[in-house]
mmCIF file of all heavy atoms in Angstrom:
data_model
loop_
_atom_site.group_PDB
_atom_site.id
_atom_site.type_symbol
_atom_site.label_atom_id
_atom_site.label_comp_id
_atom_site.label_asym_id
_atom_site.label_seq_id
_atom_site.Cartn_x
_atom_site.Cartn_y
_atom_site.Cartn_z
ATOM 1 N N ARG A 1 -8.112 -16.036 1.213
ATOM 2 C CA ARG A 1 -8.619 -15.516 2.413
ATOM 3 C C ARG A 1 -7.497 -15.254 3.483
ATOM 4 O O ARG A 1 -7.496 -14.274 4.146
ATOM 5 C CB ARG A 1 -9.664 -16.464 3.061
ATOM 6 C CG ARG A 1 -10.133 -16.060 4.502
ATOM 7 C CD ARG A 1 -11.121 -17.036 5.078
ATOM 8 N NE ARG A 1 -12.439 -16.967 4.402
ATOM 9 C CZ ARG A 1 -13.426 -17.802 4.596
ATOM 10 N NH1 ARG A 1 -13.279 -18.848 5.411
ATOM 11 N NH2 ARG A 1 -14.567 -17.663 3.972
ATOM 12 N N GLU A 2 -6.573 -16.122 3.426
ATOM 13 C CA GLU A 2 -5.371 -15.920 4.357
ATOM 14 C C GLU A 2 -4.633 -14.655 4.058
ATOM 15 O O GLU A 2 -4.244 -13.880 4.885
ATOM 16 C CB GLU A 2 -4.430 -17.137 4.205
ATOM 17 C CG GLU A 2 -3.178 -17.109 5.085
ATOM 18 C CD GLU A 2 -2.252 -18.203 4.940
ATOM 19 O OE1 GLU A 2 -2.743 -19.281 4.417
ATOM 20 O OE2 GLU A 2 -1.089 -18.126 5.299
ATOM 21 N N ILE A 3 -4.416 -14.394 2.780
ATOM 22 C CA ILE A 3 -3.767 -13.181 2.331
ATOM 23 C C ILE A 3 -4.642 -11.937 2.661
ATOM 24 O O ILE A 3 -4.137 -10.891 3.031
ATOM 25 C CB ILE A 3 -3.346 -13.205 0.863
ATOM 26 C CG1 ILE A 3 -2.310 -14.346 0.659
ATOM 27 C CG2 ILE A 3 -2.803 -11.881 0.357
ATOM 28 C CD1 ILE A 3 -1.938 -14.692 -0.773
ATOM 29 N N ILE A 4 -5.938 -12.028 2.436
ATOM 30 C CA ILE A 4 -6.864 -10.947 2.740
ATOM 31 C C ILE A 4 -6.692 -10.614 4.225
ATOM 32 O O ILE A 4 -6.536 -9.446 4.586
ATOM 33 C CB ILE A 4 -8.300 -11.342 2.414
ATOM 34 C CG1 ILE A 4 -8.569 -11.410 0.969
ATOM 35 C CG2 ILE A 4 -9.312 -10.372 3.139
ATOM 36 C CD1 ILE A 4 -9.870 -11.995 0.530
ATOM 37 N N THR A 5 -6.691 -11.544 5.100
ATOM 38 C CA THR A 5 -6.605 -11.348 6.528
ATOM 39 C C THR A 5 -5.240 -10.648 6.852
ATOM 40 O O THR A 5 -5.209 -9.735 7.624
ATOM 41 C CB THR A 5 -6.622 -12.682 7.236
ATOM 42 O OG1 THR A 5 -7.937 -13.328 6.945
ATOM 43 C CG2 THR A 5 -6.557 -12.487 8.792
ATOM 44 N N ARG A 6 -4.181 -11.082 6.228
ATOM 45 C CA ARG A 6 -2.894 -10.550 6.448
ATOM 46 C C ARG A 6 -2.826 -9.072 6.008
ATOM 47 O O ARG A 6 -2.315 -8.169 6.687
ATOM 48 C CB ARG A 6 -1.813 -11.310 5.755
ATOM 49 C CG ARG A 6 -0.357 -11.084 6.189
ATOM 50 C CD ARG A 6 0.591 -12.013 5.517
ATOM 51 N NE ARG A 6 0.205 -13.430 5.395
ATOM 52 C CZ ARG A 6 0.831 -14.343 4.800
ATOM 53 N NH1 ARG A 6 1.907 -14.020 4.083
ATOM 54 N NH2 ARG A 6 0.442 -15.598 4.782
ATOM 55 N N VAL A 7 -3.305 -8.750 4.819
ATOM 56 C CA VAL A 7 -3.297 -7.414 4.274
ATOM 57 C C VAL A 7 -4.155 -6.489 5.087
ATOM 58 O O VAL A 7 -3.775 -5.309 5.387
ATOM 59 C CB VAL A 7 -3.679 -7.379 2.835
ATOM 60 C CG1 VAL A 7 -3.826 -6.004 2.287
ATOM 61 C CG2 VAL A 7 -2.598 -8.152 1.991
ATOM 62 N N ASN A 8 -5.304 -6.958 5.570
ATOM 63 C CA ASN A 8 -6.208 -6.095 6.302
ATOM 64 C C ASN A 8 -5.558 -5.748 7.677
ATOM 65 O O ASN A 8 -5.683 -4.644 8.164
ATOM 66 C CB ASN A 8 -7.586 -6.760 6.549
ATOM 67 C CG ASN A 8 -8.462 -6.662 5.310
ATOM 68 O OD1 ASN A 8 -8.242 -5.840 4.465
ATOM 69 N ND2 ASN A 8 -9.481 -7.519 5.279
ATOM 70 N N ARG A 9 -4.800 -6.686 8.210
ATOM 71 C CA ARG A 9 -4.023 -6.377 9.448
ATOM 72 C C ARG A 9 -2.945 -5.310 9.185
ATOM 73 O O ARG A 9 -2.746 -4.376 9.928
ATOM 74 C CB ARG A 9 -3.450 -7.633 10.008
ATOM 75 C CG ARG A 9 -2.673 -7.369 11.292
ATOM 76 C CD ARG A 9 -2.129 -8.711 11.924
ATOM 77 N NE ARG A 9 -1.043 -9.263 11.030
ATOM 78 C CZ ARG A 9 -1.154 -10.358 10.374
ATOM 79 N NH1 ARG A 9 -2.257 -11.027 10.428
ATOM 80 N NH2 ARG A 9 -0.125 -10.743 9.620
ATOM 81 N N ILE A 10 -2.313 -5.475 8.031
ATOM 82 C CA ILE A 10 -1.233 -4.503 7.663
ATOM 83 C C ILE A 10 -1.916 -3.086 7.436
ATOM 84 O O ILE A 10 -1.311 -2.118 7.861
ATOM 85 C CB ILE A 10 -0.553 -4.907 6.341
ATOM 86 C CG1 ILE A 10 0.261 -6.200 6.633
ATOM 87 C CG2 ILE A 10 0.318 -3.855 5.811
ATOM 88 C CD1 ILE A 10 0.800 -6.895 5.367
ATOM 89 N N ARG A 11 -3.045 -3.062 6.881
ATOM 90 C CA ARG A 11 -3.747 -1.714 6.733
ATOM 91 C C ARG A 11 -4.044 -1.049 8.023
ATOM 92 O O ARG A 11 -3.891 0.158 8.227
ATOM 93 C CB ARG A 11 -5.093 -1.999 5.991
ATOM 94 C CG ARG A 11 -4.909 -2.063 4.398
ATOM 95 C CD ARG A 11 -6.186 -2.635 3.743
ATOM 96 N NE ARG A 11 -7.393 -1.939 4.142
ATOM 97 C CZ ARG A 11 -7.912 -0.910 3.430
ATOM 98 N NH1 ARG A 11 -7.242 -0.443 2.399
ATOM 99 N NH2 ARG A 11 -9.047 -0.397 3.823
ATOM 100 N N LYS A 12 -4.460 -1.859 9.005
ATOM 101 C CA LYS A 12 -4.821 -1.307 10.342
ATOM 102 C C LYS A 12 -3.566 -0.846 11.074
ATOM 103 O O LYS A 12 -3.638 0.094 11.903
ATOM 104 C CB LYS A 12 -5.608 -2.259 11.117
ATOM 105 C CG LYS A 12 -6.995 -2.484 10.522
ATOM 106 C CD LYS A 12 -7.810 -3.502 11.422
ATOM 107 C CE LYS A 12 -9.213 -3.677 10.772
ATOM 108 N NZ LYS A 12 -10.038 -4.689 11.550
ATOM 109 N N GLU A 13 -2.442 -1.467 10.794
ATOM 110 C CA GLU A 13 -1.226 -1.180 11.576
ATOM 111 C C GLU A 13 -0.418 -0.092 10.955
ATOM 112 O O GLU A 13 0.542 0.432 11.602
ATOM 113 C CB GLU A 13 -0.338 -2.461 11.670
ATOM 114 C CG GLU A 13 -0.954 -3.543 12.582
ATOM 115 C CD GLU A 13 -0.217 -4.790 12.469
ATOM 116 O OE1 GLU A 13 0.748 -4.917 11.695
ATOM 117 O OE2 GLU A 13 -0.518 -5.763 13.346
ATOM 118 N N ASN A 14 -0.755 0.342 9.714
ATOM 119 C CA ASN A 14 0.095 1.307 9.032
ATOM 120 C C ASN A 14 -0.771 2.512 8.602
ATOM 121 O O ASN A 14 -1.519 2.435 7.640
ATOM 122 C CB ASN A 14 0.794 0.681 7.778
ATOM 123 C CG ASN A 14 1.820 -0.318 8.232
ATOM 124 O OD1 ASN A 14 3.031 0.022 8.302
ATOM 125 N ND2 ASN A 14 1.419 -1.537 8.420
ATOM 126 N N PRO A 15 -0.612 3.633 9.276
ATOM 127 C CA PRO A 15 -1.416 4.842 8.893
ATOM 128 C C PRO A 15 -1.270 5.284 7.517
ATOM 129 O O PRO A 15 -2.150 5.911 6.896
ATOM 130 C CB PRO A 15 -0.813 5.917 9.867
ATOM 131 C CG PRO A 15 -0.208 5.154 10.989
ATOM 132 C CD PRO A 15 0.283 3.907 10.427
ATOM 133 N N ALA A 16 -0.108 4.912 6.838
ATOM 134 C CA ALA A 16 0.068 5.372 5.399
ATOM 135 C C ALA A 16 -0.928 4.750 4.528
ATOM 136 O O ALA A 16 -1.215 5.333 3.418
ATOM 137 C CB ALA A 16 1.487 5.009 5.016
ATOM 138 N N LEU A 17 -1.545 3.629 4.958
ATOM 139 C CA LEU A 17 -2.532 2.918 4.084
ATOM 140 C C LEU A 17 -3.958 3.346 4.432
ATOM 141 O O LEU A 17 -4.893 2.882 3.857
ATOM 142 C CB LEU A 17 -2.434 1.430 4.249
ATOM 143 C CG LEU A 17 -1.153 0.789 3.619
ATOM 144 C CD1 LEU A 17 -1.075 -0.712 4.024
ATOM 145 C CD2 LEU A 17 -1.041 0.985 2.173
ATOM 146 N N GLN A 18 -4.042 4.327 5.351
ATOM 147 C CA GLN A 18 -5.392 4.813 5.797
ATOM 148 C C GLN A 18 -5.931 6.103 5.133
ATOM 149 O O GLN A 18 -6.913 6.717 5.603
ATOM 150 C CB GLN A 18 -5.376 4.887 7.326
ATOM 151 C CG GLN A 18 -5.165 3.525 7.956
ATOM 152 C CD GLN A 18 -4.997 3.552 9.423
ATOM 153 O OE1 GLN A 18 -5.297 4.567 10.130
ATOM 154 N NE2 GLN A 18 -4.366 2.461 10.038
ATOM 155 N N THR A 19 -5.239 6.479 4.105
ATOM 156 C CA THR A 19 -5.736 7.584 3.271
ATOM 157 C C THR A 19 -5.369 7.284 1.846
ATOM 158 O O THR A 19 -4.415 6.576 1.610
ATOM 159 C CB THR A 19 -5.137 8.980 3.726
ATOM 160 O OG1 THR A 19 -5.699 9.978 2.929
ATOM 161 C CG2 THR A 19 -3.622 8.978 3.586
ATOM 162 N N THR A 20 -6.111 7.829 0.905
ATOM 163 C CA THR A 20 -5.842 7.522 -0.530
ATOM 164 C C THR A 20 -4.963 8.605 -1.129
ATOM 165 O O THR A 20 -4.247 8.340 -2.087
ATOM 166 C CB THR A 20 -7.237 7.490 -1.270
ATOM 167 O OG1 THR A 20 -8.025 6.465 -0.693
ATOM 168 C CG2 THR A 20 -7.013 7.214 -2.709
ATOM 169 N N TRP A 21 -5.012 9.818 -0.601
ATOM 170 C CA TRP A 21 -4.393 10.982 -1.253
ATOM 171 C C TRP A 21 -2.898 10.985 -1.319
ATOM 172 O O TRP A 21 -2.256 11.820 -1.963
ATOM 173 C CB TRP A 21 -4.954 12.280 -0.660
ATOM 174 C CG TRP A 21 -6.405 12.175 -0.304
ATOM 175 C CD1 TRP A 21 -6.962 12.398 0.921
ATOM 176 C CD2 TRP A 21 -7.475 11.864 -1.172
ATOM 177 N NE1 TRP A 21 -8.339 12.180 0.839
ATOM 178 C CE2 TRP A 21 -8.677 11.895 -0.482
ATOM 179 C CE3 TRP A 21 -7.525 11.557 -2.524
ATOM 180 C CZ2 TRP A 21 -9.917 11.616 -1.016
ATOM 181 C CZ3 TRP A 21 -8.786 11.277 -3.138
ATOM 182 C CH2 TRP A 21 -9.875 11.300 -2.384
ATOM 183 N N ASN A 22 -2.213 10.152 -0.465
ATOM 184 C CA ASN A 22 -0.761 10.197 -0.382
ATOM 185 C C ASN A 22 -0.038 9.303 -1.266
ATOM 186 O O ASN A 22 1.218 9.109 -1.067
ATOM 187 C CB ASN A 22 -0.392 9.844 1.073
ATOM 188 C CG ASN A 22 -0.839 8.500 1.462
ATOM 189 O OD1 ASN A 22 -1.641 7.818 0.787
ATOM 190 N ND2 ASN A 22 -0.371 7.969 2.625
ATOM 191 N N ILE A 23 -0.627 8.798 -2.291
ATOM 192 C CA ILE A 23 0.053 7.835 -3.195
ATOM 193 C C ILE A 23 0.925 8.551 -4.234
ATOM 194 O O ILE A 23 0.532 9.674 -4.734
ATOM 195 C CB ILE A 23 -0.998 6.980 -3.928
ATOM 196 C CG1 ILE A 23 -0.331 5.849 -4.683
ATOM 197 C CG2 ILE A 23 -1.858 7.775 -4.879
ATOM 198 C CD1 ILE A 23 -1.226 4.765 -5.185
ATOM 199 N N ASN A 24 2.105 8.038 -4.465
ATOM 200 C CA ASN A 24 3.044 8.540 -5.468
ATOM 201 C C ASN A 24 3.625 7.329 -6.217
ATOM 202 O O ASN A 24 4.207 6.459 -5.497
ATOM 203 C CB ASN A 24 4.111 9.372 -4.815
ATOM 204 C CG ASN A 24 3.605 10.707 -4.384
ATOM 205 O OD1 ASN A 24 3.237 11.616 -5.220
ATOM 206 N ND2 ASN A 24 3.561 10.909 -3.084
ATOM 207 N N PHE A 25 3.488 7.282 -7.477
ATOM 208 C CA PHE A 25 4.036 6.165 -8.238
ATOM 209 C C PHE A 25 5.524 6.443 -8.494
ATOM 210 O O PHE A 25 5.966 7.609 -8.562
ATOM 211 C CB PHE A 25 3.336 6.025 -9.599
ATOM 212 C CG PHE A 25 1.930 5.467 -9.385
ATOM 213 C CD1 PHE A 25 0.859 6.346 -9.297
ATOM 214 C CD2 PHE A 25 1.710 4.153 -9.294
ATOM 215 C CE1 PHE A 25 -0.441 5.832 -9.126
ATOM 216 C CE2 PHE A 25 0.446 3.614 -9.146
ATOM 217 C CZ PHE A 25 -0.636 4.451 -9.006
ATOM 218 N N THR A 26 6.275 5.388 -8.545
ATOM 219 C CA THR A 26 7.719 5.474 -8.731
ATOM 220 C C THR A 26 8.103 4.623 -9.961
ATOM 221 O O THR A 26 7.386 3.753 -10.398
ATOM 222 C CB THR A 26 8.482 5.030 -7.493
ATOM 223 O OG1 THR A 26 9.849 5.358 -7.665
ATOM 224 C CG2 THR A 26 8.326 3.529 -7.222
ATOM 225 N N GLU A 27 9.304 4.892 -10.474
ATOM 226 C CA GLU A 27 9.696 4.206 -11.748
ATOM 227 C C GLU A 27 10.058 2.719 -11.516
ATOM 228 O O GLU A 27 10.528 2.336 -10.447
ATOM 229 C CB GLU A 27 10.995 4.906 -12.209
ATOM 230 C CG GLU A 27 10.789 6.366 -12.597
ATOM 231 C CD GLU A 27 12.158 6.974 -13.042
ATOM 232 O OE1 GLU A 27 13.098 6.228 -13.360
ATOM 233 O OE2 GLU A 27 12.224 8.190 -13.001
ATOM 234 N N THR A 28 9.716 1.972 -12.528
ATOM 235 C CA THR A 28 10.191 0.571 -12.634
ATOM 236 C C THR A 28 10.630 0.357 -14.123
ATOM 237 O O THR A 28 10.149 1.031 -14.943
ATOM 238 C CB THR A 28 9.079 -0.431 -12.280
ATOM 239 O OG1 THR A 28 8.151 -0.528 -13.340
ATOM 240 C CG2 THR A 28 8.402 -0.080 -11.012
ATOM 241 N N ASN A 29 11.561 -0.569 -14.254
ATOM 242 C CA ASN A 29 11.995 -0.842 -15.609
ATOM 243 C C ASN A 29 11.306 -2.067 -16.223
ATOM 244 O O ASN A 29 11.834 -2.671 -17.146
ATOM 245 C CB ASN A 29 13.519 -1.008 -15.657
ATOM 246 C CG ASN A 29 13.984 -2.286 -14.816
ATOM 247 O OD1 ASN A 29 13.173 -2.798 -14.079
ATOM 248 N ND2 ASN A 29 15.215 -2.602 -14.978
ATOM 249 N N ASN A 30 10.067 -2.293 -15.739
ATOM 250 C CA ASN A 30 9.322 -3.470 -16.257
ATOM 251 C C ASN A 30 7.825 -3.043 -16.239
ATOM 252 O O ASN A 30 7.310 -2.799 -15.125
ATOM 253 C CB ASN A 30 9.571 -4.755 -15.467
ATOM 254 C CG ASN A 30 8.811 -5.960 -15.963
ATOM 255 O OD1 ASN A 30 7.878 -5.795 -16.774
ATOM 256 N ND2 ASN A 30 9.244 -7.112 -15.503
ATOM 257 N N ASP A 31 7.167 -2.973 -17.383
ATOM 258 C CA ASP A 31 5.728 -2.620 -17.343
ATOM 259 C C ASP A 31 4.866 -3.618 -16.710
ATOM 260 O O ASP A 31 3.667 -3.278 -16.486
ATOM 261 C CB ASP A 31 5.263 -2.370 -18.746
ATOM 262 C CG ASP A 31 5.778 -1.055 -19.312
ATOM 263 O OD1 ASP A 31 6.174 -0.204 -18.510
ATOM 264 O OD2 ASP A 31 5.771 -0.894 -20.551
ATOM 265 N N SER A 32 5.312 -4.789 -16.358
ATOM 266 C CA SER A 32 4.558 -5.768 -15.629
ATOM 267 C C SER A 32 4.647 -5.582 -14.201
ATOM 268 O O SER A 32 3.942 -6.292 -13.396
ATOM 269 C CB SER A 32 4.953 -7.172 -15.982
ATOM 270 O OG SER A 32 4.734 -7.494 -17.373
ATOM 271 N N VAL A 33 5.433 -4.657 -13.695
ATOM 272 C CA VAL A 33 5.599 -4.403 -12.293
ATOM 273 C C VAL A 33 5.225 -2.938 -12.006
ATOM 274 O O VAL A 33 5.818 -2.030 -12.566
ATOM 275 C CB VAL A 33 7.034 -4.697 -11.756
ATOM 276 C CG1 VAL A 33 7.187 -4.212 -10.326
ATOM 277 C CG2 VAL A 33 7.427 -6.151 -11.996
ATOM 278 N N ILE A 34 4.250 -2.718 -11.111
ATOM 279 C CA ILE A 34 3.930 -1.397 -10.794
ATOM 280 C C ILE A 34 4.361 -1.169 -9.310
ATOM 281 O O ILE A 34 4.332 -2.087 -8.489
ATOM 282 C CB ILE A 34 2.344 -1.149 -10.859
ATOM 283 C CG1 ILE A 34 1.991 0.193 -10.645
ATOM 284 C CG2 ILE A 34 1.659 -2.073 -9.826
ATOM 285 C CD1 ILE A 34 0.438 0.590 -10.999
ATOM 286 N N ALA A 35 4.854 0.060 -9.015
ATOM 287 C CA ALA A 35 5.380 0.348 -7.731
ATOM 288 C C ALA A 35 4.906 1.759 -7.279
ATOM 289 O O ALA A 35 4.811 2.649 -8.149
ATOM 290 C CB ALA A 35 6.893 0.331 -7.757
ATOM 291 N N TYR A 36 4.605 1.912 -6.048
ATOM 292 C CA TYR A 36 4.214 3.199 -5.538
ATOM 293 C C TYR A 36 4.530 3.303 -4.041
ATOM 294 O O TYR A 36 4.725 2.346 -3.328
ATOM 295 C CB TYR A 36 2.659 3.368 -5.750
ATOM 296 C CG TYR A 36 1.824 2.184 -5.481
ATOM 297 C CD1 TYR A 36 1.127 2.027 -4.333
ATOM 298 C CD2 TYR A 36 1.626 1.176 -6.502
ATOM 299 C CE1 TYR A 36 0.309 0.908 -4.066
ATOM 300 C CE2 TYR A 36 0.848 0.076 -6.235
ATOM 301 C CZ TYR A 36 0.188 -0.037 -5.000
ATOM 302 O OH TYR A 36 -0.664 -1.120 -4.836
ATOM 303 N N THR A 37 4.584 4.562 -3.547
ATOM 304 C CA THR A 37 4.896 4.794 -2.162
ATOM 305 C C THR A 37 3.696 5.420 -1.454
ATOM 306 O O THR A 37 2.888 6.068 -2.115
ATOM 307 C CB THR A 37 6.082 5.756 -2.015
ATOM 308 O OG1 THR A 37 5.730 7.022 -2.528
ATOM 309 C CG2 THR A 37 7.279 5.262 -2.763
ATOM 310 N N LYS A 38 3.564 5.153 -0.213
ATOM 311 C CA LYS A 38 2.551 5.809 0.632
ATOM 312 C C LYS A 38 3.217 6.170 1.925
ATOM 313 O O LYS A 38 3.896 5.322 2.528
ATOM 314 C CB LYS A 38 1.379 4.902 0.865
ATOM 315 C CG LYS A 38 0.674 4.519 -0.487
ATOM 316 C CD LYS A 38 -0.738 4.028 -0.168
ATOM 317 C CE LYS A 38 -1.715 5.186 -0.338
ATOM 318 N NZ LYS A 38 -3.144 4.737 -0.226
ATOM 319 N N THR A 39 3.090 7.379 2.423
ATOM 320 C CA THR A 39 3.763 7.838 3.609
ATOM 321 C C THR A 39 2.728 8.608 4.513
ATOM 322 O O THR A 39 1.754 9.175 3.983
ATOM 323 C CB THR A 39 4.920 8.790 3.274
ATOM 324 O OG1 THR A 39 4.453 10.013 2.620
ATOM 325 C CG2 THR A 39 5.973 8.177 2.440
ATOM 326 N N ASP A 40 2.999 8.509 5.815
ATOM 327 C CA ASP A 40 2.227 9.271 6.813
ATOM 328 C C ASP A 40 3.218 10.089 7.547
ATOM 329 O O ASP A 40 4.071 9.639 8.323
ATOM 330 C CB ASP A 40 1.470 8.351 7.720
ATOM 331 C CG ASP A 40 0.740 9.069 8.773
ATOM 332 O OD1 ASP A 40 -0.270 9.783 8.461
ATOM 333 O OD2 ASP A 40 1.114 9.051 9.959
ATOM 334 N N GLU A 41 3.118 11.410 7.360
ATOM 335 C CA GLU A 41 4.112 12.340 7.943
ATOM 336 C C GLU A 41 4.056 12.333 9.450
ATOM 337 O O GLU A 41 5.059 12.474 10.138
ATOM 338 C CB GLU A 41 3.894 13.770 7.381
ATOM 339 C CG GLU A 41 4.171 13.908 5.848
ATOM 340 C CD GLU A 41 5.508 13.594 5.455
ATOM 341 O OE1 GLU A 41 6.436 13.713 6.276
ATOM 342 O OE2 GLU A 41 5.743 13.091 4.337
ATOM 343 N N ALA A 42 2.834 12.314 9.977
ATOM 344 C CA ALA A 42 2.677 12.430 11.427
ATOM 345 C C ALA A 42 3.352 11.263 12.186
ATOM 346 O O ALA A 42 4.069 11.476 13.201
ATOM 347 C CB ALA A 42 1.214 12.425 11.838
#
């Protein structure tokens, strides 16, 4: 619950997390680690 609260606050403070369509996956050299970027141009 503590982490849920923290992440929900991050979502509200960062416009890049407020749309789904802007996701782009990026390379990692470990299949156990997934990485992606989200940006808000405005």
Side-chain angles (χ1 to χ4, degrees):
R1 175 181 286 172
E2 181 182 339
I3 294 172
I4 289 169
T5 303
R6 198 178 310 176
V7 171
N8 282 341
R9 183 177 66 249
I10 292 169
R11 279 166 51 91
K12 291 181 179 179
E13 293 173 351
N14 289 270
L17 292 174
Q18 296 173 17
T19 183
T20 301
W21 319 124
N22 60 349
I23 189 167
N24 287 291
F25 289 95
T26 189
E27 296 177 18
T28 75
N29 62 347
N30 182 346
D31 284 342
S32 293
V33 175
I34 190 170
Y36 41 99
T37 66
K38 302 200 90 176
T39 61
D40 178 68
E41 296 298 333

